[in-house]
Amino acid sequence: MRIAVGAAGVFLIGVGLFFLLPLPGLLGVVVWFAGAIALHDVLIGPIVLVTGLLVARLPDRAVVRGALITMGGLVLITIPALLRPGPSPNPTVLVQDYPRNLLICLAAVAVVAVVLVLLRRRR
Amino acid sequence: MNPTLPQFRGRLHDARTAVAIGRWLGSAVVVCFLTGLISHVLQHPPGWMTGLLPVRPAWGYRLTQGLHVASGLAAIVLVMAKLWAVYPRLFTWPAFRSLPHLVERLSIALLVAATVFELFTGLINILQWYPWPFSFTQTHYAVAWIVAGSLLLHLAVKAPLIRENWRKKKADVDAADRRALLAGVGAAVGAVTLTTVGQSLSALRGFDLLAPRSPDVATQGMPINRTAAAAQVTYASSEGWALEVAGPKPYRITLAELEALPQRRVRLPIACVEGWSADAWWSGVPIRDLLARAGAPPGTAVRVESLEVWGYYRVMEMPAQYADDPSTLLALRLNDEVLSLDHGYPARIIAPNRPGVLQTKWVSRLEAV
Ligand code: HEM
């Protein structure tokens, strides 16, 4: 069973390479693959770990950590919208005020976190 | 252990957390892979599948592609949590102990690279931003297989650890802390979903604060993917326009004549490959009526050509079952207004359960095939 699953995995990777290798711009794909690993291993990873270490000492760490993870997720999926250069391709793409909306969302998370901490202390 | 490398004492960086987050991430990736394959097949069916593509439910692609982008966005959060849990293992020393260990680490490198690549390019693509030198769709498709394959390989390699985690329910000294961590990750997934899914799920439109689209921001009640300007179509290019219909009895028909034919009004969604979708009222002439006038019997597929000068989708093939469906229209009106140029004036296709890119705009020619 284990071997069969592993073999199926190798087969699907082969299928992927079969589709991938003939494509133009292959070098770019390799660079983006390497970039994906590098971005995580040397940038996101350390930031998250150091934040985790700092939070570890806090009294309400369960809630604070949950709030930070939530904020991190929201920021992560919005970063491209904040950074995208050039005009929007048409008036119905990128229609929102992303910096403002992101701040609203982050503030909402903070409020929920504070309420949770207060509730837990009351108990 | 090499003393210069960091040492990790955080106890949640363990197999138990990795398995717990892994099963959520794995589920999200599987949903992405399957819905992605559906999207691929609807656009590029292998020959034997062409006749099997389902016309109903009309909202099928709306659901699957909405799910694709929603589960993909959830996976972005989950992959970060997963990588956090296993990050210390990056510093395993010696870097490899044996050949199997080396192969295991290489397979994980492939899994991480392919998954992060897939998620990241997907996320940027839905903003219609293409900062790379390769074709998004083709590369995203190929890498999807690598993600699926390296995930299976990963599960096979880690099977003993996963099984152990499910089998003996060892007392977990960190239970409370771990539960809080997982609740935090769950909250993050919930927040990301809530603030973006409104671009396809109308009921949550009010919470759509961060998605690239907000289907309320629209012209004639419908957002636009490709503008007339991008397709280099102007009102001048449709001057003197007459639709050409090729078949056993070919004919040309002007806009005024089309408007004089019996019209049908249907409610169908545009479901974009980029994940957003919206419903609208469309009116126009059923494609099957136009084909019948050309002497083509029911069960005829049709090739549709657009006035646009250039585009991957300038020529579109429509399998017979879609052409036969009475709600598949050559639409002239959108929400009871004459189509604007950006929505495909003078005439466009609308059909149930097809990706938006196949709802050809600025139609110039139909050909029974
Ligand atoms: C590991 C996760 C993912 C897998 C396995 C996956 C897989 C796929 C596959 C197989 C397709 C069909 C490609 C084709 O038509 O040939 C597809 C299409 C697509 N995916 Fe993903 N995907 C993933 C994540 C994402 C994410 C995170 C996003 C965006 C947030 C995304 C956005 C898209 C878009 C926009 C398309 C349509 C492309 C087009 O037809 O033009 N995907 N995906």
Side-chain angles (χ1 to χ4, degrees), chain B residues 32 36 40 43 65 68 72 118-119 122-123 125 137 140-141 144 273:
Chain B
C32 274
H40 179 80
Q43 292 177 65
Q65 197 61 10
H68 184 78
E118 194 77 347
L119 297 175
L123 174 67
N125 173 263
T137 312
H140 192 75
Y141 178 64
V273 289

Side-chain angles (χ1 to χ4, degrees), chain B residues 39-357:
Chain B
S39 180
H40 179 80
V41 164
L42 283 175
Q43 292 177 65
H44 313 280
W48 59 274
M49 279 190 82
T50 310
L52 301 175
L53 301 182
V55 183
R56 303 282 157 186
W59 41 263
Y61 186 72
R62 190 174 184 192
L63 177 71
T64 60
Q65 197 61 10
L67 258 180
H68 184 78
V69 169
S71 59
L73 292 173
I76 292 177
V77 175
L78 292 170
V79 83
M80 287 296 147
K82 171 91 183 185
L83 289 171
W84 171 84
V86 300
Y87 194 74
R89 303 189 55 84
L90 196 63
F91 302 100
T92 305
W93 199 262
F96 64 96
R97 287 187 304 270
S98 59
L99 190 61
H101 186 229
L102 175 67
V103 172
E104 179 193 332
R105 297 203 75 188
L106 286 179
S107 77
I108 289 186
L110 185 64
L111 174 64
V112 173
T115 307
V116 173
F117 175 93
E118 194 77 347
L119 297 175
F120 194 56
T121 52
L123 174 67
I124 295 182
N125 173 263
I126 59 174
L127 308 181
Q128 301 204 344
W129 181 17
Y130 311 97
W132 42 66
F134 42 82
S135 139
F136 168 75
T137 312
Q138 289 177 325
T139 313
H140 192 75
Y141 178 64
V143 174
W145 291 91
I146 299 182
V147 171
S150 50
L151 178 60
L152 280 184
L153 188 56
H154 178 62
L155 290 177
V157 169
K158 298 290 183 191
L161 274 176
I162 299 171
R163 210 175 301 126
E164 188 188 2
N165 181 72
W166 288 108
R167 196 175 295 146
K168 44 176 182 324
K169 277 289 158 212
K170 252 188 305 175
D172 181 0
V173 285
D174 298 311
D177 205 18
R178 193 186 313 276
R179 231 179 293 121
L181 172 70
L182 295 179
V185 174
V189 168
V192 164
T193 307
L194 184 66
T195 51
T196 51
V197 79
Q199 66 171 343
S200 33
L201 189 65
S202 330
L204 290 179
R205 194 151 293 169
F207 294 98
D208 172 3
L209 289 170
L210 301 178
R213 301 285 189 150
S214 171
D216 293 335
V217 181
T219 58
Q220 300 189 318
M222 180 61 75
I224 300 159
N225 198 41
R226 192 149 190 264
T227 57
Q232 297 176 35
V233 178
T234 58
Y235 277 110
S237 45
S238 57
E239 225 160 86
W241 177 89
L243 177 75
E244 189 183 333
V245 185
K249 289 184 290 175
Y251 63 96
R252 289 173 71 86
I253 183 167
T254 64
L255 188 53
E257 289 167 329
L258 276 170
E259 274 168 347
L261 291 178
Q263 306 283 307
R264 235 189 100 108
R265 187 165 177 270
V266 299
R267 186 148 183 93
L268 284 178
I270 292 282
C272 183
V273 289
E274 285 157 17
W276 63 267
S277 53
D279 259 329
W281 286 106
W282 306 89
S283 7
V285 186
I287 293 291
R288 63 176 192 180
D289 295 357
L290 294 170
L291 291 179
R293 268 173 72 116
T300 304
V302 57
R303 176 172 302 137
V304 179
E305 286 176 38
S306 169
L307 289 174
E308 67 189 276
V309 175
W310 178 90
Y312 289 116
Y313 303 95
R314 194 186 70 76
V315 179
M316 180 272 283
E317 311 281 341
M318 181 186 286
Q321 66 272 32
Y322 294 97
D324 279 347
D325 193 279
S327 58
T328 298
L329 305 182
L330 183 72
L332 309 176
R333 285 163 191 274
L334 164 54
N335 288 326
D336 300 318
E337 290 170 26
V338 171
L339 290 173
S340 70
L341 195 58
D342 279 338
H343 282 301
Y345 178 88
R348 74 171 296 167
I349 297 290
I350 184 78
N353 196 25
R354 297 198 91 195
V357 286

Side-chain angles (χ1 to χ4, degrees), chain A residues 2 41 61 84 94 98 101, chain B residues 87 128 156 177 209 211-212 224:
Chain A
R2 203 177 153 202
D41 287 359
R61 96 183 194 117
R84 188 191 191 288
L94 288 169
Y98 293 96
N101 288 5
Chain B
Y87 194 74
Q128 301 204 344
D177 205 18
L209 289 170
I224 300 159

